[in-house]
Structures are given as C-alpha cells and as structure tokens.
Amino acid sequence: MVAKKTGFFVGAVAGAGVAAAALAGVGMRMAPAHAAPQPGVVRTAAAGPMIFAPPPGAPMSFADIFEKVSPAVVSIDVSSRVDARSLQFRGFPFGLGPQGPQNKQGEEGGDDGQPTRPRQQSSGSGFFISADGYIVTNNHVVEGADEITVTLKDGRELKATVVGRDENTDLAVIKVQGSDFTFVNFEKGAKPRVGDWVITVGNPFGLGGTATAGIVSAYGRNLNDDSSSFVDYVQIDAPINRGNSGGPTFDVYGRVIGVNSAIFSPTGGSVGIGFAIPADVADSITKQLISGGKVVRGYIGAQIQNFTPEMAQAMGLEGVKAAVVAQITPGGPAEKAGLQRDDIVLSVNGVAIDSSTALTRQVAMGRAGEVLRLEVIRDGKKRFIDIRSGVRPSNKELASATGGGEEDENTGGSKKAEKPSTARVNVLGMGVAPLDGAARTRYSIGPDVKGVVVETVRSDSDAAEKGVNQGFVITSVNMKSITSPGELSTAVDAAKKAGRPTVLLGLADRRGQTALVPVKID
C-alpha cells in the first residue's frame, strides 16, 4: 500500500511479464527528422564549452509498440464485500477523490432479510506474463476480492482466481483458464536511462486499452510507506490515473520495465508524477508467488530506524552510516541472540548497512534458519552478533505484536536504582519529573517502562519540533539508561562540556513504543 501521506494515491494497474520471444525486441518506426538539428553546446565553469551530438529524434508514433503489446494487457474488475465504515475507493487508500466509474458501492439483503456488508465494485489493470494465464497486478487491486473478472483486448471476459499476494511490494498474481494468451517480458537487465521514452497501457477510469507515453523521470524513489522498505520505485511522467494500478510500463522495445503502483497528486488526477515497481523486483516476487503462493522473508524481531548524522554527532561517531535498533520484540530471534535496543548495526553478513531500509532488505533476503551475522557498535565498541533468522510475519501480525508495551532493554550500562530522585528539572526545553506511581497513573504508563516523564515541552524547543510530547518517557541519554531527572541533567551537561551540539534521547510513548531522537542542546 502506498504511504499514509497526504497526496499519495494508489492507482489500479497491473504489470508483470514473461515476454513471448516474438515480442522481445519489438522496435519502433522512427520518423526522419524534418531538419538536420545543430549540435548542442553546454558551458561548464571548469571546462568551458562542451560540444555534444544531438540524440536521435523522438518517435513520431508509438503505434507499433502498442499494437504488439496491448493484447497482453487486461482490465480487471473486482467485486468485494467491505465494512460500511471502511468503504474506500480502491486505488485511493485514504478514501479521497470523487467516485469514478470503476468504484461503485451497493448493498444487498441476506437470506435472513438483514443487510449484508456493502458490495464494492472496483477496477484496475494487469498483464499476462505467461501463455497459460498468469497475470500480474497490484495487491491493492485484488485484496479482499471475492470475485475477479478479467477483460481481454478482444472483448472476452474470464473469471480469475488469486494465486498469491505480497502486501510488502504491493504485487499480486491472478490466473485465468487458457493456454494461448499473448504475454510480455520483464526487462531485468538494460534499464532505460532517465529521460528515455516509456509507454503505459491500462484501464484508467474504466477506459480499458488506454495508452499513454512519457519518459523515465527518476530512479530510487521512496514513498515513505511500508512498501518502500522493499521497493525503490521508478518515477515516470507518462499519465497514469485511477484504474492504471497494476498495469505495465514498457520501454520502446516492448519489454516491461515496471508495474504501475501509485501516483502523487493533490487532486487525485495525474499531474505527471507516477511510480512503478521495478521489473527486477516484480519478476522475483511474481515467480515466488507462482511457485508457492506467498513470499517468505527473513525476520529477526527488531524495530529499527536510521542512524542519522545528528545521532552520529551526538554519539561522537561522525561519518558513521548505519541503522539503530529502536525496540526488540520479546521472545524473537534478536532477543534470543542478545541484540539490544540502541545497538548500532553496521553490516549484515559483511554487507554494509547505511539505513534502516538497507537493514530490512538484507534481513528479508535471509532464509528461515539461516544465521545472520550482524556487526554492531555497543558502548562505543564493535562486536558481532549471530542471529538465526525466523520467518517474517504479515504486516497485520507485526502491527498487532507491537501494539503494547515493551520490556526495558536497559542497554548501555548497569541497572540503576528503581527509586529516582524527587527533584524536577528543566532541560532541553522540557520540564522533566520522576516516573513515580502518580505519574504512571496520570499518563497511563505501564510498570515495565523505566525512565523519567516529560511533563511540559516548550513550544519553541527542538524537542517540540522533533515531536516530543507531554507524557513521553525519556529512557536513556546517549544510549545510557536513566531513572532520575538528575541523571538526565548530568548527561546533558557532560555532552555540552564535550562540545557536542546534540544529545540522543531514548523515548517511549504511552503505548510503550520506543524510538531514538536527537535533540539539540539548548
């Protein structure tokens, strides 16, 4: 699913393919230029004028490629029953946008005369990746479907069943009965360059068999949602709209270079910013779905976040790029192996880690039972931790597992006395008090959370800008556990004397969810 961020909307389009040999290498007829173009000149400060030859002229028509590949593209109509309170426009996960022809809702009576759950009709796109009926689309197109109808270019309507879905990459495979379908290939090798032509074919607003053209705008886009932990999206400017989700983006040789999945738009319509799942990712995922119905990923049981330059500065580790452990799942592989909250992860099996996304992907590549060797920094020293990988649960199971409080990992230092000092302090723009029984009752803080409680936050402070609120618990400073306001004040003073502009606070909210937040020293 696309990011929970205002302005992002998922379209309905499918894409994937194992192209037929007859389609591979499909070319385009290039019209001759009307006039010989003159060489371009680019002036650079260092080298002066640089002469370059002009590129070949743009194609005057995309008709040849459309004629060859369009029979492999299908329209997908989905019927599903949903909770009336959660009705949404499929392709608009935030329930925004006007109701279009591909999104219709109705309600029918049950056998007992009582209303059943409303029926939602929606549509998307997809494409054949094999002659025997396998079709690729987006997970959000067919998720929750109880009836799927596929319409081919020649007008035939076929019933389809779901073979497998992967919510983490928003890909799905469905299948229709038959053995002689036109299909297309994923292009996993030669990627178009930024600026190269691409063409999309799909079912926007229920208007099947629609072609649009544009260029590759960028690679490696992050949509700030769960899928971005596993997908670096291709940005294209070929117009795609609701109903295009799951459809293919082709290069000028008729090869699939991406599966359309989302658009960025303040209105819900195309503004020239669309996102496609790269072909190499789609090819790998769809093969796993066809062979086993699901995608199995490695899992260690740890919530992680980026180790930012601000964090590195606070810890005296300038220049270190890594991920940091924010929370450990009780009873999970990481806890059993001895990984701790606040551990800074530098590598997995020798592969350098420069972000939380890199760590997630590297762990996900592991097979269940495989030993993953993590290089970490703890208490300023490097060490290795071997973790036997488990199987990653579904997103729903993960969300359920992290809904409650977590045990205090008490990393970096010995156990402190349970009874804190009674003195309240003002530090970093916050009023901080002991976490006593009254504070636990007032802010609904569980007994397993240790630290000091934030009672006030100055609105112009860096802490407020970083999202620190009343009722948060500060559990550590620079990865050293604290249990009293005095310890917090002392740690901040020490960082100031060391010339550090920030301190790294370990925070827990009222649900017990933890995170590391760098806060500037006031």
Side-chain angles (χ1 to χ4, degrees), residues 199-224:
I199 179 173
T200 71
V201 183
N203 182 36
F205 300 106
L207 303 172
T210 298
T212 58
I215 62 170
V216 173
S217 300
Y219 283 100
R221 290 307 196 204
N222 187 309
L223 301 189
N224 298 321

Side-chain angles (χ1 to χ4, degrees), residues 333-334 336-339 349 371-374 384-389:
K336 294 176 181 177
L339 190 69
N349 291 342
V371 173
L372 304 175
R373 167 157 280 205
L374 276 62
F384 289 94
I385 299 175
D386 292 335
I387 303 175
R388 191 169 297 278
S389 175

Side-chain angles (χ1 to χ4, degrees), residues 338-403:
L339 190 69
Q340 296 182 8
R341 197 182 72 195
D342 299 342
D343 280 350
I344 301 167
V345 183
L346 302 175
S347 69
V348 177
N349 291 342
V351 178
I353 299 299
D354 60 5
S355 66
S356 61
T357 296
L359 177 54
T360 297
R361 293 180 183 177
Q362 200 61 37
V363 170
M365 291 171 59
R367 297 183 299 274
E370 178 183 352
V371 173
L372 304 175
R373 167 157 280 205
L374 276 62
E375 182 185 12
V376 306
I377 297 177
R378 182 188 299 170
D379 297 335
K381 299 178 181 178
K382 291 184 180 180
R383 65 178 68 194
F384 289 94
I385 299 175
D386 292 335
I387 303 175
R388 191 169 297 278
S389 175
V391 176
R392 181 182 175 86
S394 68
N395 288 347
K396 184 176 181 179
E397 291 170 331
L398 286 173
S400 175
T402 58

Side-chain angles (χ1 to χ4, degrees), residues 122-190:
S122 55
S123 65
S125 305
F127 54 94
F128 284 104
I129 58 171
S130 69
D132 57 349
Y134 286 101
I135 296 169
V136 173
T137 186
N138 282 148
N139 172 65
H140 74 258
V141 171
V142 298
E143 184 177 16
D146 55 23
E147 187 175 296
I148 303 172
T149 302
V150 170
T151 303
L152 279 60
K153 184 182 180 181
D154 60 15
R156 281 182 292 166
E157 294 186 355
L158 304 173
K159 297 299 180 183
T161 57
V162 175
V163 174
R165 301 186 295 109
D166 181 46
E167 57 187 333
N168 288 312
T169 56
D170 194 24
L171 287 167
V173 176
I174 61 177
K175 192 178 188 304
V176 297
Q177 295 300 313
S179 59
D180 192 24
F181 298 105
T182 300
F183 63 98
V184 288
N185 265 348
F186 283 118
E187 175 48 54
K188 306 187 294 293

